Amino acid sequence: EEHEWEDISDLCDLAVRGMNLGEMLESPEFRLFEAMSAIEIMDPKMDSGFDSAGDMSLERAEQEGIIKKSLSHSELITIWDELFMYYLLWLDGHTIVQTCWCCLYLQNIEEFVRPIPVFGAFIDAFLIVCRSAKDAIISANVFDDEDFMPSLFGVDLEA
């Protein structure tokens, strides 16, 4: 479905005339994080999704042998180490889909993780830690949108 763009320049100019230096408009649906992200959209240097032709899909990764249904202990440890790094990046304010969920194994847990029992146990614990961290941070209300991105963008931490 195509959406028509509406020029709101005149409305913005009118709003600016009524504001003092240093003031900023904010709404519950459009906060500082979204404003900063909106500025970067379609800029190839800033928009990570601008040129998605080279993105790795789960199917392509399997065909190219990047992900496997059988992993050595060394490979498992490497994956877990990366997941811990991504977890810390998520807590540092990056989105969960650009950190923890960029691990291709999490895209199909039943097919690629559960057949390896120790991997399945690790991922179960990892998801519990992610849920607990998100719940604790949100219930404590100790974050700003620009510090911690509470939206999960449809990611299911109950998997």
Side-chain angles (χ1 to χ4, degrees), residues 117-134:
V118 69
F119 197 8
F122 175 86
I123 293 301
D124 287 343
F126 182 75
L127 293 175
I128 289 168
V129 168
C130 288
R131 271 195 313 270
S132 298
K134 177 186 175 285

Side-chain angles (χ1 to χ4, degrees), residues 30-93:
F30 194 78
R31 310 235 347 172
L32 181 58
F33 183 86
E34 287 86 2
M36 295 304 294
S37 298
I39 292 169
E40 299 168 355
I41 291 176
M42 301 303 288
D43 180 347
K45 294 178 185 169
M46 301 300 286
D47 185 353
S48 61
F50 178 68
D51 180 18
S52 60
D55 286 352
M56 182 59 65
S57 69
L58 190 61
E59 295 77 23
R60 185 171 145 210
E62 187 176 15
Q63 290 170 355
E64 295 181 14
I66 295 170
I67 60 172
K68 307 183 275 189
K69 295 180 181 177
S70 176
L71 297 165
S72 70
H73 285 109
S74 176
E75 290 170 320
L76 284 169
I77 291 168
T78 300
I79 292 167
W80 298 344
D81 185 53
E82 290 288 315
L83 280 171
F84 282 134
M85 177 199 63
Y86 287 135
Y87 172 75
L88 293 174
L89 285 171
W90 174 52
L91 293 180
D92 196 38

Side-chain angles (χ1 to χ4, degrees), residues 92-123:
D92 196 38
H94 300 274
T95 66
I96 197 166
V97 293
Q98 292 176 319
T99 55
C100 301
W101 248 251
C102 74
C103 175
L104 290 170
Y105 286 95
L106 295 181
Q107 306 305 312
N108 191 336
I109 292 173
E110 292 304 317
E111 185 175 346
F112 293 100
V113 175
R114 298 274 181 243
I116 306 169
V118 69
F119 197 8
F122 175 86
I123 293 301

Side-chain angles (χ1 to χ4, degrees), residues 26 28 31 33-34 90-94 133-152:
E26 179 181 16
R31 310 235 347 172
F33 183 86
E34 287 86 2
W90 174 52
L91 293 180
D92 196 38
H94 300 274
K134 177 186 175 285
D135 292 346
I137 291 168
I138 289 175
S139 68
N141 199 23
V142 293
F143 69 94
D144 288 322
D145 282 349
E146 64 270 14
D147 296 332
F148 177 76
M149 186 57 141
S151 174
L152 293 179

